[in-house]
C-alpha cells in the first residue's frame, strides 16, 4: 500500500521546485517592502498614510 503511494508521489526535485515557486516571490516581496520602508522620502510616507486612512473611511 505504502509502496503504491510512493510511486505516485512527486520526486524530491518536484517538491523543491514547488516550494521555490512560493519562496522566491515571497522573498522578493519582503525585500521590496523593506526597501520602501527604508528609502521612501518623508512626503511619500505621509501620502501613503493618508490614502490608507481614506480607504478605511470608505
Amino acid at each position: 500500500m505504502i509502496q503504491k503511494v510512493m510511486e505516485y508521489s512527486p520526486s524530491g526535485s518536484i517538491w523543491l521546485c514547488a516550494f521555490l515557486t512560493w519562496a522566491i516571490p515571497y522573498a522578493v516581496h519582503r525585500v521590496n517592502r523593506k526597501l520602501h520602508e527604508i528609502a521612501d522620502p518623508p512626503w511619500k510616507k505621509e501620502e501613503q498614510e493618508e490614502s490608507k486612512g481614506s480607504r478605511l473611511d470608505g
Side-chain angles (χ1 to χ4, degrees), residues 12-55:
S13 62
I14 300 292
W15 284 110
L16 176 64
C17 290
F19 174 74
L20 289 176
T21 59
W22 171 82
I24 292 171
Y26 181 74
V28 169
H29 170 72
R30 296 289 294 191
V31 168
N32 189 24
R33 186 163 55 169
K34 194 59 148 174
L35 286 174
H36 276 286
E37 287 176 7
I38 294 169
D40 276 353
W43 60 267
K44 191 167 185 179
K45 290 178 183 177
E46 292 172 3
E47 185 178 284
Q48 289 173 350
E49 288 174 1
E50 288 175 4
S51 67
K52 285 181 185 177
S54 65
R55 276 190 256 158

